[in-house]
Amino acid sequence: MSDRAAHLNSLPDDLHSAANALAVDALIRRLRAYYPDMSGFTAVSMTGRGRDFLHHLVHTRIGGLLPAVLSFNDYRSHRIAEATGRTAVPEDEAFLHFHALRCREEGRSLPPADTQRLLSFLTTLAEFSVTIDELRALDRIGPEQFERIDWFFATMEAFRARLATGGLFYPPFEATRFADLTPGDGEFFIGLPLMTPGNERFFSRIPKDRLFVDAPLFGPNMPIEPPDYETALSLVRRIGIAERRHDGELPGFTELAERAALPTLLAREIDTFLRNYGSDREQLFIVPLDEKLSFYLWEFLFRPLGGQVNFAPWLPFTHFAAAQRLREGIRDGKGLAAMRRDLVSELTTRWNELDEADHSAFEGGITLCDELDRLRALMPFTENEWLPLAEHFIAVKKLRLRGRRDAPIQVVGLGDATGVPYARTVILPMNSDIFPRRPFSGPYLNLIHLPRIYRTQYEADDLALRQFLSFGRTAHIAALYDQANGDAPSAHFSFLATEFGQRMVKRRMVPAALRGPAGSLVIENTDELKERLRRHTWSFSSLKNFFTCPCRFILEDMEAVKPPSCFEDKDSTNLLIGEFLHRFFAELKEHRPAVLHWQELFDTRWESDEDLRMKLPDQAVRKAIVQSHLADIAAWEKETGRSILFSDEVTEAELELSAPFGGGRYRLKGRIDRLQRDGDQTLITDLKYKEKKTYAEKDRLVDRLEKTDVFDDRFQLLIYAYLALQNKRATPGLLDAAHLFLRPRMRGDYEGHLAKEDLDACDATMEGIAGRLDALLALERFTPNFRADGCSYCPYKALCLKPDLYQTIGRPGGHPW
Ligand code: SF4
């Protein structure tokens, strides 16, 4: 499928070339013509949730002043707002207004789920421009039902009028107004919206040179002319966009016998893919079609893959502990402010033991408290009416995890991946009523009554699938014939297999039971290993690893064993920011006075930092946070006259030094962040993007050498002091060393100095360190130290056979690290 010299049918010439190009590439080429200032343009993603991917591609592939990137819904609301002079009401507020209207009309409290059903039914009527006359004229509608039909439309009108008096409108109910609008200058459109009558009218006015649509892929057996059954080919021909006929490796079609086989099939696909993951960094796209599977797959398959996977589908909030806490709190009549405080405190205390999805759920819970507070203030609901509403908002809330777009495995919805080429995709399960989706069914309005609604949705789903197939090289499509649950493959699945001339293969896949390995690691301290350890140049971090867990040190530093890829953690946010700050402050040394120039330099360096842009998904928010910490420190230094972080007395930055210790038996190295003058002293500073850690006054380093579980950060300063003195970068008695904490718990609490007694005992402590090395090197073998500081986050658990590898705190079956 990668060969884009596609075998095309008899299309007009301009559509031939369009079929071979990715729409997003064509759009980016077009925008580049206006580089560097594209801020006057708007790119509208017309397809489902494709806006996020489009935004990512535009922002990562073009620099300069970028265009606005809008979803189709936002664009439509914005245009209707311009035309009516009113403001679009957000979905949650619209629901509240509608619910209030119904409760007042009926004179009683109604179940919110009932309001939700009615609102979505009326939305379908409005989106598909269904009229009263059309409904009344349907077969099997008798005069006794006219009254109910009239009520639907009267309710819709009453709702519109209620909103209009407040200067508001609900976008789906104004769909026909949008139909009469014309695309503005400087607006580019990518993809297709659901072709409701209103959207199709607007779509027909988009000039061809401002429309970018990916050509869908059809199999070799698809008839040249659109067949009688529903297919995207009819849509493509009707609106005149390019199409492709298949010319590459044919997709595979698998029929599975049971639900449990779905993760097994995915696990095999992932395993094969990661084994062959090469330098071309082509990705595997997995498209779970059944929303109900998302949480299950996340929990048991994708979460353990850590940074290898970007998981884009929504997860239901209600499956998480934060949602349960919120719901119980609301039922017990606890105030929102108190619940918010509890969630913040639980998130902060348990941060390290919670995983990414739990973080997201707690953050979602905290935001929901604010949202509920805001919504509650909008309308005067009684306590009895409000309680079910609050529970409704908890029940419908969904979470989105943040991941890296460059991760090898991308789990997405069909609409998410517009324009991203990939090596392979696995799409599943293509079952009845899951894909294509279950036909809409409401009162008087279903497949039989109004087939045009069914056809439009079917064509949209079929088109999305075929466009997605055209982005990649190979595909595997699976369905389930689950007799226990009565799930059969969809007819669409069989049609596709026939169209691509492939046989459906029935597979029986039984998941293998997981058995944790037994035993524990023992590393023999051979003469060769002893010699290598003796010759090693030690640093603070290697000493820390060796003293706390020699096995980890040997695996990591001596043997350079690469942990299994699923244990590799993605770069943590704080680590990335910390590394950036080191680079930034090293450079700031040349920009004096630092306190005046730092803002501008920070801004430029952050914006141009490739690492932050690629690896920090919320980098704009992070930037604001880091900037505010630094601004606070700068302001404090100005107020107090104690210039230390923004000092202009920095003489050296990122200074690499080495020296012998232990009477020449060992060698030591280190990289000192900064040497700066502080009065008549030389001050060694080490920057830490974290909170200050305090130590007991009487706690001396020289007495801590025998502690086997920790080797705290003060040893780092001591080692730097030793290196500075040995290299004549400082004078004994005129030396000080401190960590500078850039994320302080309290304003002004930035410095953590090495105690004078520890500095005075520098040589004795270094001698003690050499003695401890002697003792360790004399051992016959090394065994893991499961109590080591940092053991919980060590990526070598699977190799040292840590006993609780397959358990996590408070969550059996959760991720093992
Ligand atoms: S997991 Fe713990 S015991 Fe095992 S190597 Fe890592 S630090 Fe050592």
Side-chain angles (χ1 to χ4, degrees):
M1 277 182 265
S2 65
D3 181 3
R4 293 199 164 270
H7 162 176
L8 301 171
N9 66 356
S10 52
L11 290 169
D13 281 351
D14 54 338
L15 295 189
H16 270 283
S17 52
N20 288 322
L22 283 175
V24 73
D25 291 339
L27 171 69
I28 285 172
R29 256 201 315 279
R30 186 75 186 276
L31 286 169
R32 274 212 184 103
Y34 302 94
Y35 181 87
D37 185 2
M38 293 150 288
S39 55
F41 294 99
T42 301
V44 184
S45 168
M46 314 271 270
T47 315
R49 299 189 323 190
R51 184 254 165 211
D52 286 359
F53 262 89
L54 179 62
H55 183 266
H56 168 73
L57 291 171
V58 168
H59 278 241
T60 49
R61 289 174 54 185
I62 330 180
L65 293 170
L66 294 164
V69 181
L70 299 182
S71 70
F72 176 61
N73 281 346
D74 286 348
Y75 171 76
R76 189 171 73 160
S77 303
H78 168 70
R79 293 299 312 275
I80 299 171
E82 272 179 352
T84 58
R86 288 188 268 139
T87 310
V89 65
E91 198 63 47
D92 50 2
E93 288 182 27
F95 173 78
L96 268 197
H97 280 287
F98 191 63
H99 189 66
L101 176 77
R102 291 192 68 218
C103 292
R104 301 299 162 258
E105 260 183 8
E106 302 243 347
R108 66 191 171 98
S109 172
L110 296 165
D114 188 57
T115 300
Q116 185 67 63
R117 271 193 300 275
L118 181 63
L119 185 60
S120 69
F121 173 67
L122 296 183
T123 297
T124 307
L125 288 184
E127 289 281 12
F128 283 88
S129 312
V130 179
T131 62
I132 292 193
D133 292 341
E134 192 178 5
L135 274 192
R136 280 171 163 240
L138 292 175
D139 286 348
R140 284 180 277 168
I141 299 288
E144 67 283 3
Q145 281 145 338
F146 287 174
E147 202 180 316
R148 183 124 193 267
I149 290 175
D150 292 348
W151 177 78
F152 288 141
F153 287 88
T155 305
M156 202 185 323
E157 282 314 308
F159 183 49
R160 291 180 67 204
R162 179 190 165 111
L163 291 180
T165 52
L168 302 171
F169 70 91
Y170 181 48
F173 285 8
E174 308 299 331
T176 47
R177 297 198 81 128
F178 177 69
D180 297 326
L181 301 177
T182 306
D185 291 338
E187 290 173 351
F188 297 113
F189 298 86
I190 183 155
L192 290 187
L194 184 70
M195 282 297 181
T196 60
N199 289 349
E200 193 161 346
R201 276 225 315 274
F202 177 85
F203 186 85
S204 66
R205 295 201 194 94
I206 300 175
K208 282 276 177 276
D209 67 328
R210 284 198 270 135
L211 177 63
F212 304 88
V213 183
D214 284 298
L217 182 82
F218 294 95
N221 298 334
M222 171 59 87
I224 295 299
E225 289 309 318
D228 290 339
Y229 51 86
E230 271 89 11
T231 150
L233 190 58
S234 322
L235 171 66
V236 163
R237 295 289 171 82
R238 194 167 73 243
I239 58 177
I241 58 169
E243 63 193 62
R244 292 182 56 219
R245 289 299 159 125
H246 189 271
D247 63 337
E249 192 177 324
L250 290 164
F253 291 83
T254 293
E255 196 181 300
L256 298 167
E258 55 188 357
R259 206 174 170 78
L262 289 170
T264 313
L265 181 140
L266 284 176
R268 287 188 195 178
E269 283 279 355
I270 290 169
D271 186 47
T272 313
F273 179 79
L274 288 179
R275 276 173 204 280
N276 300 315
Y277 186 56
S279 53
D280 52 13
R281 309 192 74 74
E282 281 194 311
Q283 295 167 305
L284 169 68
F285 272 78
I286 294 173
V287 188
L289 297 170
D290 185 352
E291 257 207 358
K292 284 183 284 177
L293 276 178
S294 304
F295 183 74
Y296 168 68
L297 290 177
W298 160 254
E299 193 71 8
F300 295 103
L301 188 63
F302 297 121
R303 190 167 67 155
L305 290 170
Q308 301 275 53
V309 67
N310 172 31
F311 189 88
W314 294 103
L315 289 176
F317 176 55
T318 43
H319 290 6
F320 291 88
Q324 311 300 337
R325 303 256 200 295
L326 204 50
R327 192 164 26 204
E328 279 160 24
I330 285 175
R331 281 180 188 163
D332 294 347
K334 220 170 171 187
L336 285 167
M339 281 188 288
R340 188 186 196 285
R341 258 197 320 275
D342 288 353
L343 289 174
V344 170
S345 135
E346 186 169 352
L347 176 63
T348 321
T349 355
R350 297 182 56 212
W351 181 270
N352 288 337
E353 73 187 70
L354 297 175
D355 72 11
E356 189 189 349
D358 286 320
H359 291 161
S360 191
F362 271 96
E363 283 159 4
I366 293 162
T367 327
L368 188 55
C369 287
D370 298 338
E371 280 299 287
L372 290 176
D373 218 17
R374 180 181 66 82
L375 293 170
R376 177 95 216 241
L378 281 179
M379 253 156 277
F381 285 108
T382 64
E383 198 58 39
N384 280 349
E385 287 169 336
W386 175 249
L387 185 66
L389 273 172
E391 289 202 32
H392 171 79
F393 285 118
I394 295 172
V396 296
K397 183 170 178 65
K398 300 211 171 139
L399 299 174
R400 188 113 190 235
L401 307 184
R402 290 182 290 256
R404 282 172 23 213
R405 303 271 190 219
D406 61 347
I409 300 161
Q410 300 282 318
V411 187
V412 297
L414 284 179
D416 282 326
T418 310
V420 182
Y422 55 79
R424 184 165 180 79
T425 182
V426 188
I427 301 173
L428 78 183
M430 201 177 265
N431 285 22
S432 304
D433 296 344
I434 288 179
F435 192 89
R437 77 188 91 163
R438 183 195 293 268
F440 179 81
S441 173
Y444 321 120
L445 199 61
N446 55 38
L447 170 60
I448 312 289
H449 289 125
L450 276 179
R452 69 185 172 91
I453 296 180
Y454 170 69
R455 194 180 319 115
T456 304
Q457 286 174 337
Y458 190 101
E459 285 176 353
D461 288 345
D462 190 33
L463 181 80
L465 176 79
R466 291 166 184 286
Q467 285 177 320
F468 190 77
L469 285 175
S470 81
F471 302 143
R473 279 198 291 115
T474 63
H476 186 173
I477 303 174
L480 191 65
Y481 204 121
D482 186 344
Q483 292 186 340
N485 290 324
D487 295 335
S490 71
H492 192 53
F493 177 71
S494 315
F495 281 158
L496 272 182
T498 312
E499 180 189 326
F500 282 88
Q502 288 287 73
R503 225 165 38 86
M504 288 179 285
V505 181
K506 288 191 192 311
R507 285 179 218 270
R508 211 181 148 69
M509 290 181 162
V510 184
L514 180 68
R515 275 195 198 85
S520 180
L521 178 71
V522 175
I523 299 177
E524 294 298 328
N525 193 8
T526 59
D527 289 347
E528 189 213 335
L529 181 56
K530 279 195 180 96
E531 187 50 33
R532 287 178 64 199
L533 289 168
R534 210 168 278 127
R535 280 193 278 109
H536 188 73
T537 303
W538 298 93
S539 63
F540 164 66
S541 60
S542 63
L543 284 170
K544 179 175 174 161
N545 272 351
F546 191 50
F547 285 175
T548 55
C549 179
C551 283
R552 175 174 183 170
F553 170 75
I554 292 164
L555 291 170
E556 190 167 356
D557 286 55
M558 297 267 95
E559 305 298 335
V561 174
K562 204 167 152 20
S565 53
C566 67
F567 279 79
E568 277 173 13
D569 208 359
K570 60 184 173 194
D571 298 333
S572 84
T573 301
N574 289 341
L575 187 67
L576 286 168
I577 295 175
E579 284 170 355
F580 166 79
L581 287 173
H582 277 91
R583 294 192 289 276
F584 165 69
F585 277 106
E587 193 180 341
L588 186 64
K589 167 174 158 296
E590 309 303 333
H591 296 256
R592 290 179 184 149
V595 78
L596 291 185
H597 292 299
W598 77 269
Q599 293 264 23
E600 194 187 339
L601 187 70
F602 178 88
D603 221 42
T604 331
R605 291 299 172 262
W606 184 288
E607 289 305 327
S608 59
D609 196 287
E610 204 57 25
D611 253 14
L612 295 178
R613 277 175 44 171
M614 298 302 293
K615 296 180 184 168
L616 261 192
D618 49 357
Q619 59 92 8
V621 180
R622 298 284 173 186
K623 179 183 172 190
I625 295 172
V626 179
Q627 214 162 9
S628 90
H629 283 312
L630 297 186
D632 216 30
I633 300 174
W636 182 86
E637 290 192 354
K638 267 198 217 160
E639 283 161 34
T640 58
R642 167 97 180 118
S643 179
I644 183 152
L645 180 64
F646 295 98
S647 163
D648 290 328
E649 298 293 324
V650 178
T651 52
E652 309 259 17
E654 305 280 308
L655 176 65
E656 299 201 14
L657 297 175
S658 67
F661 71 108
R665 303 197 297 289
Y666 301 105
R667 238 191 128 67
L668 186 67
K669 67 175 178 184
R671 189 162 66 174
I672 298 176
D673 285 351
R674 315 202 303 191
L675 276 185
Q676 55 196 83
R677 283 186 292 269
D678 188 22
D680 57 353
Q681 290 201 313
T682 300
L683 175 65
I684 293 171
T685 47
D686 185 75
L687 309 183
K688 296 268 181 238
Y689 186 63
K690 61 181 183 184
E691 284 180 359
K692 182 170 171 179
K693 184 160 173 17
T694 45
Y695 300 94
E697 282 279 311
K698 293 192 182 136
D699 188 11
R700 293 284 63 85
L701 290 179
V702 73
D703 304 328
R704 296 191 61 82
L705 287 167
E706 296 313 313
K707 305 268 180 224
T708 52
D709 301 341
V710 283
F711 190 67
D712 70 56
D713 284 351
R714 289 174 299 168
F715 280 104
Q716 184 183 24
L717 294 177
L718 184 104
I719 285 170
Y720 290 170
Y722 178 81
L723 287 170
L725 289 169
Q726 292 291 310
N727 285 277
K728 310 266 181 279
R729 299 302 177 115
T731 315
L734 291 175
L735 174 65
D736 191 2
H739 284 126
L740 296 188
F741 297 95
L742 310 189
R743 237 167 16 122
R745 202 171 296 149
M746 274 174 4
R747 189 162 194 261
D749 196 15
Y750 308 124
E751 299 170 46
H753 286 260
L754 187 63
K756 182 164 179 326
E757 293 85 341
D758 285 328
L759 261 178
D760 292 345
C762 181
D763 286 342
T765 311
M766 287 308 300
E767 200 46 54
I769 289 176
R772 187 158 169 208
L773 278 175
D774 293 342
L776 278 167
L777 261 64
L779 291 177
E780 283 183 14
R781 59 189 61 89
F782 299 114
T783 51
N785 176 15
F786 302 124
R787 292 181 314 279
D789 188 32
C791 184
S792 317
Y793 311 104
C794 171
Y796 294 93
K797 287 184 175 73
L799 300 176
C800 77
L801 304 182
K802 186 171 160 64
D804 59 352
L805 175 62
Y806 294 101
Q807 293 165 18
T808 51
I809 310 154
R811 187 195 280 274
H815 75 62
W817 49 96

